[in-house]
Amino acid sequence: MRKKVIFISAGPGDPELITIKAVNHLKKSEVILVDRLVSPEIIKKYSHSGNKVIFVGKHNISKQSFNQCEINKLLVKYALKGKYVIRLKGGDCSIFSNIMDELMELKKHNISYEIIPGITSAIGASSYSGIPLTARGYASSVRFITLHNLNSINSSQWIDFIKTEDTLVFYMCVKQLYNIFDKLIERKKYFINIDQKLIAIIEQATTPMQKVYIINLSNYRKISLKFLSPSIVIMGKIVSLHYYFKWFNENKNRNNYFEHKN
């Protein structure tokens, strides 16, 4: 009997940014456990009507919210029944997801698995906003950082964030955004030209609802907008290239693209 789970990276939003390998697995699936930040079009286009789709987003629009323990149990339950189980995650499975918790649970029950990589949100957001993450004369390296818990960042790290010439990409920080900017401004003495510290906030990157906001760290308080989730933040000199290389036409509406209904 088959006892296996396929972890599929759905990409940042655009349903066409999924791999052929992932699509081939979806076509054969029997049970799909879907994260909140997965395009609804992926299920419609690449799955089939005979499978069981379970939306397990931790902040699901449908008012049902799953914790990690419940998700782990569902994976084990259907895998042990011999079902063709897909775990469909937004972005790339291996970047800022709870894949380790789920893999540990599967190993505990001797269930095999496969991990299919995909386009992470940072890559999608940078490409669709015309902001290359590295470029000669702008930045030679990039860092991916999760800032949903500001208590995990010490003072020396905040100083490093404001001083570095690296491109910084902040994940999962929309609720803390203005607090993050405050923390950086508190260390502005460590960066002489604070007026040149540019930030891009990209809402719902790669989707029809994508919007890009370019701000200067020194006057960020002029924007009082409540940014939609998911939003990704890119900070650095590289952000200035958006004005030259932007190509994606933005929609005037600010609706929630990632709305799943059970």
Side-chain angles (χ1 to χ4, degrees):
M1 179 187 291
R2 172 192 175 91
K3 291 193 297 182
K4 188 173 184 179
V5 174
I6 311 295
F7 289 85
I8 289 180
S9 304
D14 185 339
E16 294 184 345
L17 293 179
I18 193 168
T19 65
I20 294 173
K21 189 179 183 92
V23 169
N24 288 337
H25 279 294
L26 284 168
K27 287 177 179 177
K28 295 180 284 187
S29 64
E30 293 177 287
V31 178
I32 308 177
L33 275 65
V34 187
D35 270 355
R36 180 174 72 91
L37 299 180
V38 171
S39 169
E41 294 300 313
I42 285 177
I43 302 297
K44 293 177 185 176
K45 288 184 176 182
Y46 309 127
S47 156
H48 57 85
S49 59
N51 60 20
K52 184 179 182 66
V53 180
I54 306 171
F55 296 103
V56 294
K58 294 188 176 67
H59 301 286
N60 204 318
I61 302 297
S62 67
K63 297 183 180 179
Q64 184 176 16
S65 184
F66 286 76
N67 61 41
Q68 190 60 56
C69 183
E70 290 172 319
I71 295 170
N72 293 349
K73 287 179 179 177
L74 286 170
L75 287 173
V76 171
K77 172 186 172 181
Y78 288 109
L80 290 178
K81 286 184 177 181
K83 299 293 185 182
Y84 202 119
V85 182
I86 302 293
R87 180 67 173 101
L88 190 57
K89 288 175 169 280
D92 180 273
C93 284
S94 299
I95 297 183
F96 300 132
S97 78
N98 287 323
I99 193 170
M100 189 176 78
D101 291 339
E102 296 171 18
L103 293 178
M104 293 292 286
E105 191 69 17
L106 295 180
K107 288 185 72 68
K108 192 189 303 181
H109 292 84
N110 295 314
I111 297 170
S112 61
Y113 52 84
E114 184 175 337
I115 303 170
I116 299 175
I119 296 174
T120 186
S121 301
I123 303 301
S126 66
S127 297
Y128 275 56
S129 61
I131 302 173
L133 293 178
T134 63
R136 190 181 298 112
Y138 289 84
S140 59
S141 58
V142 57
R143 302 187 220 173
F144 296 168
I145 305 157
T146 175
L147 284 183
H148 64 284
N149 179 11
L150 298 191
N151 293 327
S152 65
I153 309 297
N154 60 41
S155 181
S156 62
Q157 285 177 297
W158 287 113
I159 293 172
D160 182 49
F161 290 162
I162 198 71
K163 287 175 65 177
T164 185
E165 293 185 2
D166 293 347
T167 301
L168 303 184
V169 183
F170 299 137
Y171 281 70
M172 296 181 287
C173 64
V174 65
K175 292 181 179 178
Q176 297 273 24
L177 205 50
Y178 290 102
N179 292 329
I180 291 168
F181 295 159
D182 285 339
K183 294 278 189 184
L184 292 169
I185 283 292
E186 286 172 14
R187 279 86 179 174
K188 65 181 181 180
K189 68 179 181 180
Y190 295 99
F191 191 82
I192 298 173
N193 299 316
I194 195 66
D195 290 337
Q196 296 178 15
K197 186 65 79 170
L198 293 178
I199 295 171
I201 300 110
I202 301 111
E203 285 183 341
Q204 305 190 100
T206 79
T207 76
M209 300 302 166
Q210 173 178 303
K211 288 196 178 300
V212 180
Y213 305 88
I214 306 294
I215 66 172
N216 190 300
L217 183 59
S218 63
N219 60 10
Y220 71 92
R221 283 291 177 187
K222 290 182 179 179
I223 295 182
S224 58
L225 195 64
K226 184 177 180 181
F227 296 100
L228 298 177
S229 175
S231 288
I232 203 156
V233 176
I234 302 175
M235 185 171 80
K237 185 179 178 182
I238 205 88
V239 171
S240 65
L241 296 179
H242 167 74
Y243 298 109
Y244 297 100
F245 300 129
K246 60 181 178 180
W247 60 271
F248 189 76
N249 293 323
E250 296 183 5
N251 195 310
K252 293 181 179 179
N253 297 322
R254 292 186 76 230
N255 298 326
N256 193 329
Y257 177 77
F258 297 95
E259 183 171 354
H260 296 281
K261 294 181 180 179
N262 288 343

